Amino acid sequence: MKGKFPIGIFDSGYGGLTVFKSIAHKLSAYDYIYLGDNARSPYGDHSFETVYEYTLSCVEWLFKQGCPLVILACNTASAKALRSIQQIDLPEKYPNNRVLGVIRPTAEVIGNFTSSQEIGVMGTRGTVNSGSYPIEIDKFFEQVKVYQQSCPLWVPLIENNEHLNEGADFFVQKYIHQLLEQSNQIDCILLACTHYPLLIPKINQYLPKHIKLLTQGDIVADSLVDYLNRHPEMEERLAKNSTRVFYTSGDVSSFNEHASLFLGQKITAHKLNS
Ligand code: DGL
């Protein structure tokens, strides 16, 4: 296909907007299409097969819009669908397109943020049970011990806009406590779900001050800058008119309302008609 095309950004819903925000800031010249699969989210408790099927259908839709490069700005999709898409679907059906996730770029640098060599990873059940973080981190930082905690109530609290209300305190405290109970040497915690940055004000209330809290937006954006420098053949296929277009498979007005919270700016999304 000739011409220049946008970068596709995919998430199960709104969470990917926290990553998109950093990417669009660092790589502001490029065009972007964001797709949130709100109609079928949250993905966190779905099986491997379901997350793969949903994620692939969204990636294929972004390919149809012309995007040669798609970022899975969702840990759950990166944990459960990325490998199959990269190893099976791309070579067979889309050999010239690329799909990148958020787990590997994070694993590549996370060891630089710990002195004790013990880190905590908080994510959805899907991400935690997949074991993707311990496996990937071990490839780059063999000496780092990874403790994981799933936080199944955090995404629903955020999606129902209850995350900064009093009721959220119980579950914020509970999951932090369960993680820190596993080791008192943890000095760095990764928020391994793109929704969780919205909970930071509450998390900070319950997190001991010496523990660093790490989010993924800037890490993924830096990694994409590096990727485009190393892959000029992909870079030259990308359009640079600074356009941003948002699609949701769910309710548009609800998406617009939530998206403003995640992105810090007003947007007008389109309804996905597959
Ligand atoms: N934003 C997704 C992630 O990073 C989780 C939300 C969901 O469960 O759909 O894992």
Side-chain angles (χ1 to χ4, degrees):
M1 205 190 276
K2 285 242 164 66
K4 305 251 183 194
F5 296 95
I7 298 174
I9 310 278
F10 165 74
D11 181 56
S12 60
Y14 316 108
L17 291 166
T18 61
V19 172
F20 170 68
K21 193 177 178 177
S22 299
I23 291 178
H25 179 71
K26 286 214 167 146
L27 293 160
S28 59
Y30 295 91
D31 291 9
Y32 296 93
I33 300 182
Y34 181 96
L35 172 57
D37 192 12
N38 297 78
R40 300 186 291 193
S41 74
Y43 279 14
D45 283 333
H46 289 323
S47 68
F48 265 87
E49 291 71 22
T50 304
V51 173
Y52 166 63
E53 182 198 320
Y54 289 176
T55 304
L56 179 62
S57 68
C58 290
V59 166
E60 289 187 321
W61 183 85
L62 286 162
F63 285 168
K64 263 197 215 139
Q65 313 314 304
C67 303
L69 174 66
V70 172
I71 312 297
L72 302 186
C74 175
N75 286 275
T76 312
S78 299
K80 292 186 157 189
L82 181 62
R83 183 192 288 255
S84 304
I85 292 176
Q86 284 178 334
Q87 294 185 352
I88 301 166
D89 300 290
L90 293 186
E92 275 178 12
K93 294 182 273 178
Y94 314 99
N96 297 320
N97 290 357
R98 293 292 173 267
V99 180
L100 306 173
V102 291
I103 296 180
R104 192 170 174 112
T106 309
E108 279 175 2
V109 297
I110 199 163
N112 303 331
F113 296 91
T114 172
S115 308
S116 67
Q117 308 301 325
E118 298 204 11
I119 63 163
V121 171
M122 306 185 92
T124 64
R125 273 204 195 101
T127 298
V128 166
N129 293 343
S130 75
S132 300
Y133 272 101
I135 292 167
E136 287 299 319
I137 291 170
D138 187 60
K139 290 180 188 160
F140 301 99
F141 300 97
E142 220 180 301
Q143 74 288 4
V144 169
K145 271 198 189 156
V146 181
Y147 299 90
Q148 300 195 92
Q149 179 62 46
S150 60
C151 313
L153 268 302
W154 282 8
V155 167
L157 281 170
I158 293 166
E159 298 224 327
N160 288 291
N161 212 1
E162 290 289 346
H163 55 292
L164 297 181
N165 293 339
E166 261 172 50
D169 288 59
F170 177 80
F171 286 106
V172 169
Q173 216 175 346
K174 177 178 171 165
Y175 298 142
I176 291 176
H177 180 71
Q178 286 178 349
L179 175 64
L180 297 182
E181 240 181 8
Q182 298 179 48
S183 165
N184 59 13
Q185 293 301 308
I186 293 171
D187 67 352
C188 168
I189 291 181
L190 170 71
L191 297 183
C193 169
T194 53
H195 276 63
Y196 296 174
L198 268 80
L199 265 179
I200 287 176
K202 274 268 187 257
I203 295 172
N204 278 335
Q205 283 177 30
Y206 296 103
L207 201 65
K209 294 281 168 279
H210 71 280
I211 298 183
K212 249 179 257 126
L213 199 56
L214 211 59
T215 56
Q216 298 177 289
D218 286 346
I219 293 173
V220 174
D222 286 341
S223 164
L224 184 56
V225 170
D226 179 56
Y227 176 86
L228 293 177
N229 283 334
R230 287 184 293 108
H231 293 276
E233 79 290 352
M234 174 58 76
E235 203 282 334
E236 66 200 21
R237 294 166 68 193
L238 301 173
K240 290 185 196 157
N241 308 299
S242 300
T243 65
R244 284 99 176 87
V245 185
F246 299 88
Y247 282 88
T248 175
S249 59
D251 179 65
V252 169
S253 53
S254 164
F255 185 87
N256 290 344
E257 199 180 306
H258 282 82
S260 305
L261 273 178
F262 281 81
L263 206 54
Q265 69 183 69
K266 228 172 140 348
I267 64 157
T268 308
H270 304 274
K271 174 86 180 167
L272 177 79
N273 293 311
S274 43

